[in-house]
């Protein structure tokens, strides 16, 4: 096959002084940070739907993307060719993982059987390319939001036939993910919510969603898939309200339905901001529950109220993400999947490289800064000391559950007004900026 990017060689690390736009200034895959290779900390992934399939259309205009290797048809041959191009892209970029929806890689057929055959035909190529290159599948998923049958939901559709169709589709997507050695499987419920409560039985829909996830867990067991399941929070878009609206809502749902041991969270930056939270907040909520699984790395535009899925370039953001991640012990099955698209104005193939290189360099810097902050120790030390009154005396008794209101009343009557130290927010912000 002719190369899709004939003018682009493998992207090399050239260091911060390089003026070569197609080089890494900070991401140096094998460099050790805190005793671990950068590539093993970051586990970057390419999102097939954006990088290979996004035409860069918007609600006001058609697609602008120039993808000379793609003939624009729904043929299997075209889908297989695209799959090979994706691996050429990953090889040249030096990214080890990719993620896909079933319908990104292969066209939907007229029947489920036809769709499954199409998917198998492309999975053949994906498998061969994985073997040729050593690249791996970070996670697979099923597109349960594009086809008109899912317009009222998939697992939360009011229609049992639609529920069944979605289940059949996930069954196949799970089997293909398993066949390709996928390290995880994601549920993002774009239509699992409502457009209006006037026609919605929320309790029944949530119970159906839980049944659906239990069926997925059962099927994974049946086929021997031991990868990690994730649920990806997002508050809205395309639905008015999505049930998996943020990390806390997802965790509550998982706990209520006995699913905590089976699913972790895949946290996406732009979804966090749509939910009115910072990315760091969402990561810390997930981590506190032992459920920080994977990350969809992108960023939104603060002036636009929708999921703009931009590539992350803000070092302050990547620093916060990497601090939260390192604190939680790093990735096991997860990774940093660039769920991001180039702008509609950036329509040439080379822009895909600029975008990913920028994201990888931004995360490499975030990683190095976060590691330096941790090694410095002042931040951790401050936070630890802030809670020191709970380390001994009455505080330790509170934490151990040894005292109640009566003992605490006696404590206050004896010792009076507590001494409260400053929160030192500005001091800490300055401290972080020493490293950025
Ligand atoms: C959409 C979601 C989607 C998931 C995968 O906003 O981010 O891309 O990551 O279904
Ligand atoms: Ni995502
Ligand atoms: Ni998104």
């Amino acid at each position: 096959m002719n190369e899709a990017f004939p003018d682009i060689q493998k992207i090399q690390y050239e260091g911060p002084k390089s003026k070569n736009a197609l080089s890494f200034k900070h991401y140096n895959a094998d460099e050790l940070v805190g005793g671990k290779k950068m590539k093993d900390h970051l586990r970057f992934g390419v999102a097939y739907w954006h990088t290979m399939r996004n035409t860069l259309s918007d609600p006001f205009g058609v697609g602008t993307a120039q993808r000379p290797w793609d003939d624009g048809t729904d043929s299997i041959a075209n889908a297989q060719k695209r799959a090979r191009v994706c691996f050429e892209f990953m090889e040249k970029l030096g990214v080890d993982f990719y993620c896909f929806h079933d319908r990104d890689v292969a066209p939907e057929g007229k029947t489920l059987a036809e769709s499954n055959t199409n998917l198998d035909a492309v999975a053949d190529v994906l498998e061969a390319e994985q073997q040729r290159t050593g690249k791996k599948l970070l996670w697979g998923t099923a597109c349960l939001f594009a086809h008109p049958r899912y317009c009222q939901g998939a697992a939360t559709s009011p229609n049992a036939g639609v529920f069944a169709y979605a289940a059949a589709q996930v069954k196949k997507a799970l089997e293909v993910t398993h066949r390709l050695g996928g390290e995880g499987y994601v549920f993002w419920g774009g239509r699992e919510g409502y457009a209006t409560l006037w026609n919605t039985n929320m309790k029944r829909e949530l119970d159906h969603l839980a049944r659906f996830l239990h069926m997925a867990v059962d099927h994974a067991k049946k086929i021997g898939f031991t990868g990690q399941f994730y649920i990806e929070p997002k508050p809205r878009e395309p639905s008015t309200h999505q049930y998996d609206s943020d990390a806390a809502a997802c965790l509550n749902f998982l706990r209520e339905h006995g699913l905590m041991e089976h699913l972790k969270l895949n946290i996406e930056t732009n979804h966090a901001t749509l939910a009115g939270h910072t990315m760091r907040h969402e990561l810390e909520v997930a981590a506190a529950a032992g459920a920080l699984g994977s990350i969809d790395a992108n960023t939104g535009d603060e002036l636009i109220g929708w999921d703009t899925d931009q590539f992350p370039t803000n070092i302050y953001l990547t620093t916060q993400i990497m601090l939260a991640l390192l604190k939680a012990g790093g990735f096991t099955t997860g990774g940093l999947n660039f769920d991001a698209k180039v702008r509609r104005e950036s329509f040439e193939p080379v822009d895909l490289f600029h975008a990913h290189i920028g994201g990888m360099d931004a995360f490499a810097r975030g990683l190095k800064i976060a590691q330096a902050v941790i090694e410095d120790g002042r931040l951790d030390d401050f936070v630890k000391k802030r809670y020191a009154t709970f380390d001994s005396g009455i505080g330790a008794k509170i934490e151990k559950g040894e005292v109640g209101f009566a003992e605490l009343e006696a404590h206050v009557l004896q010792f009076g007004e507590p001494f409260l130290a400053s929160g030192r927010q500005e001091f800490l912000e300055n401290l972080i900026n020493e490293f950025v």
Side-chain angles (χ1 to χ4, degrees):
M1 186 177 95
N2 287 337
E3 288 181 54
F5 310 99
D7 305 328
I8 296 170
Q9 310 304 314
K10 184 162 186 345
I11 308 300
Q12 306 288 347
Y13 171 72
E14 293 183 6
K17 293 211 173 73
S18 170
K19 296 281 181 264
N20 175 8
L22 293 176
S23 75
F24 294 116
K25 316 289 187 295
H26 302 277
Y27 179 63
N28 188 10
D30 292 322
E31 186 182 319
L32 295 179
V33 176
K36 186 166 157 184
K37 288 182 179 173
M38 288 179 85
K39 65 174 180 190
D40 298 328
H41 274 292
L42 299 166
R43 292 167 57 90
F44 290 123
V46 165
Y48 203 97
W49 53 101
H50 282 311
T51 298
M52 301 316 298
R53 302 308 310 276
N54 203 313
T55 62
L56 309 182
S57 64
D58 71 13
F60 297 93
V62 297
T64 58
Q66 298 169 3
R67 305 289 182 250
W69 56 84
D70 194 317
D71 66 16
T73 69
D74 257 351
S75 76
I76 300 300
N78 192 36
Q80 291 175 325
K81 191 168 169 197
R82 245 190 244 123
R84 293 194 186 95
V85 172
C86 188
F87 280 80
E88 181 191 333
F89 181 71
M90 286 191 280
E91 279 196 286
K92 289 188 166 167
L93 192 61
V95 160
D96 294 333
F97 296 94
Y98 70 112
C99 303
F100 67 79
H101 300 85
D102 48 1
R103 303 300 180 245
D104 306 330
V105 290
E108 174 133 12
K110 284 191 203 74
T111 62
L112 180 70
E114 204 182 290
S115 299
N116 289 352
T117 308
N118 293 351
L119 188 50
D120 285 334
V122 181
D124 290 343
V125 175
L126 295 171
E127 191 172 28
E129 287 293 289
Q130 284 184 198
Q131 270 160 16
R132 182 181 68 76
T133 61
K135 305 291 175 200
K136 291 187 233 163
L137 178 60
L138 188 65
W139 49 260
T141 185
C143 175
L144 302 179
F145 45 88
H147 194 281
R149 86 173 67 85
Y150 298 126
C151 72
Q152 300 180 40
T156 63
S157 170
N159 184 303
V162 173
F163 183 104
Y165 211 110
Q169 202 181 317
V170 169
K171 174 178 179 289
K172 182 66 182 178
L174 202 51
E175 287 164 3
V176 170
T177 298
H178 181 44
R179 171 185 166 191
L180 296 173
E183 299 193 13
Y185 186 92
V186 162
F187 291 94
W188 169 65
R191 307 272 176 199
E192 312 296 24
Y194 55 80
T196 173
L197 280 172
W198 291 119
N199 64 14
T200 301
N201 183 331
M202 189 190 284
K203 166 92 174 94
R204 222 166 161 184
E205 292 197 0
L206 285 166
D207 287 346
H208 293 169
L209 182 58
R211 278 264 29 95
F212 193 89
L213 294 176
H214 275 291
M215 287 181 201
V217 168
D218 290 346
H219 192 66
K221 222 170 267 165
K222 196 163 156 194
I223 63 174
F225 175 71
T226 53
Q228 177 63 51
F229 279 116
Y230 309 102
I231 200 159
E232 182 178 320
K234 184 175 180 179
R236 68 187 79 86
E237 193 208 305
S239 311
T240 307
H241 175 86
Q242 281 166 218
Y243 294 132
D244 306 326
S245 54
D246 66 2
C250 287
L251 290 169
N252 181 58
F253 171 82
L254 294 174
R255 279 200 191 94
E256 181 179 351
H257 295 281
L259 286 158
M260 271 303 275
E261 61 175 303
H262 302 298
L263 286 100
K264 288 187 174 172
L265 301 185
N266 179 39
I267 306 285
E268 176 165 324
T269 316
N270 208 159
H271 298 179
T273 45
L274 285 175
H277 304 306
T278 62
M279 178 60 166
R280 187 166 169 215
H281 167 92
E282 288 292 85
L283 292 172
E284 299 223 356
V285 168
L292 173 48
S294 199
I295 290 177
D296 270 7
N298 62 14
T299 193
D301 187 312
E302 281 168 22
L303 303 179
I304 301 178
W306 39 284
D307 202 8
T308 58
D309 285 341
Q310 287 165 240
F311 277 83
T313 53
N314 183 329
I315 313 298
Y316 206 67
L317 170 69
T318 58
T319 297
Q320 293 183 45
I321 293 174
M322 293 313 298
L323 260 175
L325 186 65
L326 290 179
K327 218 173 83 180
F331 289 127
T332 47
T333 52
L336 288 164
N337 166 48
F338 286 115
D339 192 354
K341 60 184 178 198
V342 289
R343 298 303 85 195
R344 189 164 181 265
E345 295 88 333
S346 309
F347 41 71
E348 292 179 8
V350 70
D351 291 307
L352 296 172
F353 281 91
H354 290 305
H356 284 83
I357 289 169
M360 292 163 77
D361 265 347
F363 268 99
R365 287 179 77 180
L367 167 62
K368 286 190 257 187
I369 293 166
Q371 180 65 27
V373 169
I374 289 170
E375 280 171 18
D376 172 79
R378 277 177 290 166
L379 178 70
D380 272 352
D381 196 47
F382 179 89
V383 177
K384 192 168 181 298
K385 285 200 181 119
R386 190 158 178 249
Y387 296 87
T389 55
F390 283 96
D391 291 340
S392 60
I394 195 73
K397 285 187 184 154
I398 292 172
E399 286 197 348
K400 284 190 201 127
E402 290 171 3
V403 289
F405 277 2
E407 289 81 3
L408 295 175
E409 181 191 49
H411 174 85
V412 173
L413 289 173
Q414 185 183 349
F415 294 101
E417 202 60 40
F419 169 76
L420 184 62
S422 165
R424 298 255 190 275
Q425 179 173 336
E426 298 77 7
F427 161 80
L428 293 168
E429 287 165 346
N430 299 349
L431 175 74
I432 293 300
N433 277 355
E434 274 183 39
F435 295 87
V436 175

